[in-house]
Amino acid sequence: QVQLVESGGGLVQAGGSLRLSCVASGSILSINVMGWYRQASGKQRELLAAMSRGGTTNYADSVKGRFTISRDNIKNTVSLQMNSLKAEDTAVYYCNAEGLATRSGVMSEYWGQGTQVTVSS
């Protein structure tokens, strides 16, 4: 059974920083892309940052220069360093694993349960 578990959310003042972490556990062979999404109240879920197994990154324009994604392919972890946080960054943040191959030969996409980030202005 594959699980993605996020940690690191919380309340922070505008201009502050938070670091989110996500660990994928289970019988995992490899993960193609790991990324972070967020969903603010009343809005659609949006991609913030993603990193391929080879290290290629992709960032949303809204977080470029402020957020940095990193991953460890051995430990199956992905992190998101968030700096210069703004009130509009308030949302539930989700970890995503795309193209996750298990040792049983199944490939699928998985999501974490989400972690709340609240930025006070």
Side-chain angles (χ1 to χ4, degrees):
Q1 189 78 357
V2 173
Q3 278 191 316
L4 270 62
V5 179
E6 302 108 333
S7 61
L11 174 65
V12 64
Q13 287 190 330
S17 299
L18 278 177
R19 184 176 181 86
L20 304 181
S21 297
C22 172
V23 57
S25 62
S27 185
I28 299 170
L29 188 60
S30 65
I31 304 174
N32 185 20
V33 178
M34 298 191 80
W36 289 94
Y37 289 69
R38 71 184 177 192
Q39 187 166 17
S41 180
K43 295 187 177 180
Q44 288 189 330
R45 190 172 298 190
E46 61 172 339
L47 171 66
L48 298 179
M51 179 179 277
S52 71
R53 184 171 178 79
T56 301
T57 58
N58 178 36
Y59 290 95
D61 287 343
S62 59
V63 304
K64 276 181 183 176
R66 299 190 299 126
F67 292 9
T68 303
I69 189 170
S70 59
R71 67 181 281 184
D72 184 321
N73 292 335
I74 303 298
K75 297 180 179 179
N76 292 323
T77 61
V78 63
S79 297
L80 187 69
Q81 178 65 41
M82 306 186 293
N83 299 327
S84 303
L85 284 161
K86 307 174 183 178
E88 51 263 43
D89 293 319
T90 295
V92 178
Y93 285 65
Y94 296 91
C95 174
N96 173 269
E98 180 185 324
L100 189 152
T102 65
R103 297 188 186 280
S104 61
V106 176
M107 181 173 284
S108 189
E109 181 178 27
Y110 294 85
W111 292 90
Q113 81 285 356
T115 185
Q116 177 71 43
V117 172
T118 302
V119 184
S120 63
S121 56

